[in-house]
Amino acid sequence: MSEGKQNTFTKSEKSQDIRKNNIQAAKAVADTVRTSLGPRGMDKMIQDPKGEVLITNDGATILKQMNLVHPTAKMLVEISKAQDIEAGDGTTSVVVIAGALLRACELLLEKGIHPTTISEGYQIAFNKAIEFLEEIKTKVDLDDKQSLIECVTTALSSKVVSANSTQLAPIAVEAVLRILGKGENNVDLRDIKVVKKLGGTIDDTELVEGLVFTNQKASSSAGGPQKIDGAKIALLQFCLSAPKTDVENQIAIKDYNEMDKILKEERKYILELVKKIIASGANVLLIQKSILRDAVNDLSLHFLAKKGIMVVRDVERDDVEFISKTLDLTPVAHIDQLTPDKLGKADKVETVFLSDESKILRITGVPAKSRAVTILCRGSNQLVLDEAERSIHDALCVVRSLVKSRGLIPGGGAPEIFLSQKLAQYAKTLHGVESMCVRAYADALEVIPYTLAENAGLNPIQVVTDLRNRHDKGSHKAGISMKKNNINDDITTEQVIQPILVTQSALSLSTECVRMILKIDDLVISAR
């Protein structure tokens, strides 16, 4: 054998090995999260290096916590993250579909089909799948809140907090609709702030039209007010305490007269600040946390309490933007800039006692144009509280995906079986290798109903075969019912529905990722 031919053979063999390794790494990640799919999916307990424990079955959260080394495995983490941003739901499905498509690729590569041909075949199959998906879509009206709530309940059914979905789903729907403008096709979820407060139960979670502070309380020193009606709110980014010099120094006081003089000057300085605050008309002060010196001192709190002005200190820098947007105010960096036009308005600012005797500060009756709301999330322990927060985020994303593409499709594995059968029929109209690639793509989609049945303790082969037969007979809404542990000819009667965007996005991201993995024929480690 000539040297040229031998080199070509070696290179071809190396490419095959690299591709095989990449596929194996990605499949290993997909198999890890596969058991978490669906309402009966298992949860994962994740312990970080500090010893903190996290319990979740959210695909994106599990993958984010995994310490992966292989670059191809990291690609699956990225598509799960992208699915979380785009649709909020289906973060496990997208990885499971990608794993199934790669498993199908292995079989096609073993038959000697070129990776580029497989990649192009998958793209043809994906384009047709998106077309076929429109056939089972039903349009959704955003005024029909019940449909939206049913959709969110389906998304929450696989979460740890699924038992509380009747409580959380209406909150998520109401929150998104509150911030949605007329004729808009998208919402900014940053306008909805989810605030966590340990204690109580998930049933105590509520939607607040305004702001909630859980860690910052109204100052009660010197008898400061705890409730203000008709509030005029100022957000201060300067300190109400005696100034310090720019450099570190010490002042030596030799007699009492000098000490009195310093205290007198401090009193005079703070009195001037308080007079200017009163002149602006503000009766509630939100003071940003300071790292240089005390944001307020006892003297300033005493003067402000005497004038009936509420003081809330240690407001986090990260919250300033949301507070400004909600209350329609401008943060003030210097006392001379504090004018009535910089103030925000609210009907009521008050300290509220919760069911477990803990306190929060609530600001309600905010300007209508602010379009920002807060969800106060409760939970009996930190693990439940964190999972409830993640579930609320997913629920909000599901409603947002319905706002973006207003279509609903059945759940319970129905769309995947429907697409699998439609693509299998379409593959018969094609010729040669393309037909094989489209057929392999169609078969791979059956992994979703197969896994749903497997995780529910049913016989997956029997369930998938039965589903195929029912879809063949025209029952395109037939899906796996977790309530009956059987197949329902119309899964929508059990309110198992999902936004079309979830399936579209999952197919798009998984196909894109698999095509990218197929195109890789070498792994080069850079020098630096």
Side-chain angles (χ1 to χ4, degrees):
M1 190 187 289
S2 70
E3 198 179 323
K5 278 187 178 179
Q6 199 169 350
N7 285 345
T8 311
F9 178 72
T10 312
K11 195 166 184 184
S12 166
E13 210 170 49
K14 186 189 175 188
S15 298
Q16 282 177 8
D17 285 345
I18 293 286
R19 206 169 278 117
K20 202 171 184 180
N21 285 340
N22 288 344
I23 289 172
Q24 291 297 340
K27 273 166 57 186
V29 174
D31 289 339
T32 306
V33 294
R34 200 176 143 191
T35 53
S36 301
L37 185 72
R40 301 279 177 87
M42 295 293 164
D43 297 338
K44 299 274 186 276
M45 182 182 273
I46 303 159
Q47 187 172 18
D48 68 10
K50 292 176 186 173
E52 289 181 14
V53 174
L54 174 77
I55 298 171
T56 184
N57 71 351
D58 179 55
T61 308
I62 295 165
L63 291 170
K64 196 162 55 179
Q65 297 292 330
M66 284 168 73
N67 185 16
L68 297 169
V69 179
H70 201 288
T72 312
K74 287 178 183 175
M75 286 167 71
L76 289 190
V77 179
E78 292 303 317
I79 63 166
S80 183
K81 201 188 290 180
Q83 176 76 3
D84 196 33
I85 294 164
E86 178 65 20
D89 193 20
T91 51
T92 310
S93 301
V94 69
V95 177
V96 172
I97 291 170
L101 290 173
L102 286 168
R103 206 168 275 111
C105 285
E106 269 188 318
L107 298 172
L108 294 171
L109 288 167
E110 281 170 14
K111 289 175 182 172
I113 301 171
H114 196 275
T116 308
T117 312
I118 300 171
S119 174
E120 286 167 2
Y122 274 14
Q123 188 59 40
I124 292 166
F126 165 69
N127 292 338
K128 289 307 281 186
I130 296 300
E131 276 179 40
F132 292 138
L133 206 54
E134 294 290 325
E135 292 178 24
I136 52 168
K137 178 180 99 169
T138 51
K139 286 202 170 182
V140 66
D141 183 5
L142 294 181
D143 294 330
D144 180 12
K145 282 188 187 176
Q146 192 53 41
S147 293
L148 304 183
I149 290 168
E150 286 168 5
C151 205
V152 174
T153 306
T154 304
L156 291 175
S157 65
S158 63
K159 309 291 178 195
V160 175
V161 296
S162 57
N164 305 90
S165 56
T166 49
Q167 171 81 8
L168 299 178
I171 288 175
V173 170
E174 194 61 41
V176 174
L177 294 181
R178 289 265 175 95
I179 64 166
L180 179 66
K182 273 193 173 180
E184 287 183 6
N185 287 328
N186 203 352
V187 289
D188 186 355
L189 293 184
R190 285 174 298 184
D191 290 343
I192 301 171
K193 190 169 182 65
V194 181
V195 179
K196 295 188 288 184
K197 180 69 175 172
L198 192 62
T201 62
I202 294 171
D203 288 333
D204 297 328
T205 300
E206 60 178 316
L207 180 68
V208 178
E209 276 193 76
L211 285 169
V212 172
F213 294 102
T214 54
N215 299 322
Q216 296 82 13
K217 311 286 187 296
S219 174
S220 57
S221 67
Q226 298 295 300
K227 182 179 176 181
I228 298 279
D229 289 317
K232 291 180 181 176
I233 304 162
L235 177 54
L236 307 183
Q237 293 181 308
F238 57 89
C239 299
L240 297 178
S241 56
K244 280 187 177 180
T245 52
D246 291 337
V247 289
E248 190 66 39
N249 63 2
Q250 288 182 328
I251 299 169
I253 297 171
K254 291 176 183 174
D255 57 24
Y256 288 114
N257 290 335
E258 285 182 4
M259 187 185 280
D260 285 345
K261 198 175 177 184
I262 287 173
L263 291 172
K264 201 173 180 182
E265 281 300 318
E266 185 183 335
R267 187 183 177 88
K268 188 180 171 186
Y269 174 79
I270 288 171
L271 209 52
E272 279 299 314
L273 291 178
V274 174
K275 280 179 182 175
K276 286 180 179 177
I277 289 167
I278 294 164
S280 72
N283 56 11
V284 176
L285 300 181
L286 304 177
I287 303 174
Q288 187 177 309
K289 187 186 272 188
S290 171
I291 56 168
L292 300 174
R293 65 181 203 261
D294 293 337
V296 288
N297 61 14
D298 291 341
L299 194 58
S300 58
L301 289 174
H302 170 72
F303 286 142
L304 291 166
K306 273 178 105 175
K307 292 294 178 183
I309 296 172
M310 182 188 280
V311 179
V312 181
R313 51 186 167 180
D314 293 343
V315 172
E316 296 290 345
R317 184 187 291 271
D318 297 342
D319 295 337
V320 168
E321 190 182 340
F322 184 75
I323 293 168
S324 305
K325 193 171 187 178
T326 307
L327 299 175
D328 193 27
L329 56 75
T330 308
V332 179
H334 192 273
I335 188 66
D336 294 338
Q337 297 169 350
L338 185 57
T339 52
D341 59 299
K342 302 276 176 69
L343 305 181
K345 291 184 174 66
D347 292 347
K348 190 185 284 184
V349 180
E350 61 179 333
T351 301
V352 179
F353 283 89
L354 300 172
S355 56
D356 58 343
E357 294 304 307
S358 58
K359 288 193 291 186
I360 59 165
L361 184 78
R362 186 181 299 199
I363 302 175
T364 50
V366 297
K369 64 177 180 180
S370 70
R371 287 201 313 184
V373 294
T374 306
I375 295 174
L376 175 62
C377 185
R378 308 296 312 280
S380 54
N381 62 57
Q382 198 61 45
L383 293 174
V384 170
L385 191 59
D386 291 343
E387 184 62 14
E389 186 198 18
R390 282 189 291 271
S391 300
I392 287 170
H393 170 261
D394 287 358
L396 294 171
C397 288
V398 166
V399 185
R400 185 188 62 180
S401 62
L402 282 170
V403 171
K404 283 165 82 173
S405 66
R406 301 181 185 187
L408 286 170
I409 55 172
E416 287 80 13
I417 282 285
F418 173 76
L419 291 177
S420 176
Q421 293 210 311
K422 281 283 187 180
L423 287 172
Q425 288 166 15
Y426 173 68
K428 290 174 185 173
T429 64
L430 300 172
H431 302 288
V433 181
E434 266 184 5
S435 172
M436 289 174 74
C437 295
V438 173
R439 178 76 216 195
Y441 191 99
D443 291 343
L445 291 179
E446 288 185 356
V447 73
I448 297 292
Y450 186 95
T451 309
L452 284 174
E454 198 173 42
N455 291 348
L458 305 172
N459 183 337
I461 296 168
Q462 191 181 326
V463 167
V464 171
T465 309
D466 197 1
L467 260 179
R468 276 191 206 140
N469 290 339
R470 298 199 189 198
H471 276 259
D472 264 343
K473 290 170 185 171
S475 302
H476 297 320
K477 291 183 179 179
I480 302 165
S481 164
M482 295 299 161
K483 288 177 185 171
K484 298 176 182 173
N485 271 357
N486 211 327
I487 290 169
N488 188 337
D489 278 333
D490 186 356
I491 198 73
T492 56
T493 56
E494 292 184 26
Q495 288 78 51
V496 180
I497 46 177
Q498 63 187 49
I500 191 169
L501 186 70
V502 172
T503 306
Q504 285 174 340
S505 174
L507 290 173
S508 170
L509 290 166
S510 54
T511 307
E512 202 175 285
C513 178
V514 169
R515 291 188 70 204
M516 203 182 289
I517 292 169
L518 277 173
K519 290 280 181 78
I520 298 166
D521 74 339
D522 207 348
L523 180 62
V524 181
I525 309 296
S526 65
R528 51 182 176 155

